[in-house]
Amino acid sequence: MTTMKAVVFRGNGQIGIEEVPKPVPGPGEAVIRITATTICGTDVHIVRGEYPVKPGLVLGHEPVGIIDELGPGLDAHYRVGERVIVGAITPCGQCFYCLNGSHSQCGGPLGGWRFGNTINGAWAEYLLVPDARANLASIPGNLDDEAVLLCPDIFSTGLSGAESGNIKVGDAVAIFAQGPIGLCATLGAKLRGAGLIIAVDTVASRLDTAERFGANVMVNPAHADPVEAIKRLTDGRGVDVAIEALGKQETFENALRSTRPGGTLSSLGVYSGKLVAPYEAFYAGLGDQKIVTTLCPGGKERMRRLMEMIAQRRVDLSPLVTHRFALDNIAEAFDLFSHQRDGVLKVALYPDAAGLRRAETSVKGAVPA
Ligand SMILES: [Zn+2]
Ligand SMILES: [Zn+2]
C-alpha cells in the first residue's frame, strides 16, 4: 500500500501529521497531487469542536494541484499532469438539489461540502476528487498557484454575498466584517457596480485593505455605532444591501438594522446557537426586507469564471495571502491563523518544501538559496 503525508483531525483541539493510505480513484474520480492549499475560518471551528467531524478525517477544503491519476471514464476529458483547482464544494451535478440549481446543497443540507467535512480533504500530499467531471477546473497557464488559491472557497463565497444580495448599479452596500470573506464581498460589491460601499470592522489594517478592495467609507465599531453611521450616510434609510460576513448575533443584528425597508440582508456567516431578529430592525416582519443565505458556490464552471476574473486582471487577490508555511509546519500556521496574529489574512500551505521555496522566491524576486 502506498502512503502519503496528511494532517488528521484527532479530536477537539488536536491535529497532527500522519502517514495515511494514498487514495485510489474509482470510476469518475480523480486523484490530484496537492501543490498548495490554505486554512479557512471553518477549519478553526472544526478543530475547536464547534462543528463536528469524525476523528481520523483529513481536513482542508481549498485544493490547488496537479492531476496524478484518473479513474475509469475520464481519459477523454482530462490528462495526468494537468494543473487544476477544485471548489471547496463538489456538487455531483445529478441529484435533486443539483438539478434544481442548489449545487451547494447537493444530496441534502450542506451536502455539497464534502472535503474535510464528510470525506478526506486537501491538507495532504494527495486528494481524491469525487465526480471529477463536474469539479476539476483547469488553471489558465499563466496563473501561479497562489493567484488562484482563494478561488475554491473565499473568493467564491465572498463574491456570492454580493451576487445573492442582487446588488444593482448605484446601490448603497454595507459589509459587516472585513476578514478574507468580507473583503471578497467588498470586492464583489464593487464589481457589481455599487455606489456607496461601507466596510465595517474593528481592525484598522483590515479597513485599509477594504479601501484597496473598493470601499468608500470605513466604519470602526470600536469608535462609532455602525448602524448610526450607516443611517447617516444613507439619508436615514439604511443600505439597499447589507452583507453579513462573520456569523455573530451582533453583526447579524447590525446588518439587519442597517437594511432599509425593501432591502436585502445577504448572510454569509456560519452561526451557532439561536439567532434573533429584533422587532424594530425587522419592522415587525412587515418591512419587505429579504434575508438570503449562501453556501460557497462550487463546481468547475464557477471555478472557471473566478479564474477568468483573475486571468483578465479584473481582480488581484494577492494582498490576501499574507503568510506561507510548509504543510509540515501546520501547527505553527494554524496557531498564527486561529489567533489572527501578525496581521494574518490567509496562509498558503505547501505540502512540498520545493513548492514553498519557489513561492517565496517569486514573491521576493530573490535568487533561490
Ligand atoms: Zn472554508
Ligand atoms: Zn448533487
Side-chain angles (χ1 to χ4, degrees), residues 105 160 164 252 265-269 271 275 291-295:
Q105 311 301 325
S160 76
S164 298
F252 175 80
L265 165 53
S266 176
S267 175
L268 296 174
Y271 305 95
L275 198 59
I291 299 179
V292 295
T293 68
T294 319
L295 170 61

Side-chain angles (χ1 to χ4, degrees), residues 91-99 103 105-107:
C92 74
Q94 315 278 334
C95 71
F96 169 91
Y97 287 97
C98 284
L99 294 174
H103 303 107
Q105 311 301 325
C106 173

Side-chain angles (χ1 to χ4, degrees), residues 178-302:
Q178 296 292 313
I181 287 179
L183 286 165
C184 287
T186 299
L187 200 55
K190 183 184 172 197
L191 289 167
R192 300 266 311 190
L196 176 64
I197 301 176
I198 305 163
V200 184
D201 202 289
T202 53
V203 180
S205 62
R206 293 186 171 202
L207 291 175
D208 291 343
T209 310
E211 188 168 16
R212 287 171 71 187
F213 275 39
N216 318 97
V217 181
M218 274 49 72
V219 174
N220 188 333
H223 305 141
D225 177 347
V227 179
E228 272 175 32
I230 288 165
K231 291 268 173 92
R232 242 193 339 268
L233 288 159
T234 53
D235 293 331
R237 285 192 298 265
V239 288
D240 302 294
V241 181
I243 299 176
E244 202 286 346
L246 191 63
K248 295 265 196 293
Q249 172 67 33
E250 187 189 0
T251 41
F252 175 80
E253 194 171 320
N254 282 343
L256 189 60
R257 289 181 193 281
S258 304
T259 304
R260 70 161 169 83
T264 301
L265 165 53
S266 176
S267 175
L268 296 174
V270 182
Y271 305 95
S272 48
K274 195 183 269 184
L275 198 59
V276 177
Y279 174 88
E280 68 282 7
F282 203 39
Y283 300 99
L286 303 173
D288 289 341
Q289 291 152 308
K290 286 178 280 295
I291 299 179
V292 295
T293 68
T294 319
L295 170 61
C296 176
K300 71 178 177 187
E301 170 57 9
R302 174 71 170 180

Side-chain angles (χ1 to χ4, degrees), residues 39-43 61-62 88 113 152-154 157 181 296 346:
I39 305 174
C40 175
T42 305
D43 299 314
H61 51 260
E62 297 162 279
W113 173 32
D153 183 2
I154 298 306
T157 301
I181 287 179
C296 176
K346 290 289 278 185

Side-chain angles (χ1 to χ4, degrees), residues 22 28 34 48 56-57 60 123 131 141 156 200 203 229 253 264 267 281 321 326 337 364-365:
K22 183 186 168 191
I34 298 291
R48 287 178 178 162
L57 189 77
W123 293 357
D131 300 303
S156 187
V200 184
V203 180
E253 194 171 320
T264 301
S267 175
V321 180
F337 181 79
K364 290 175 192 152

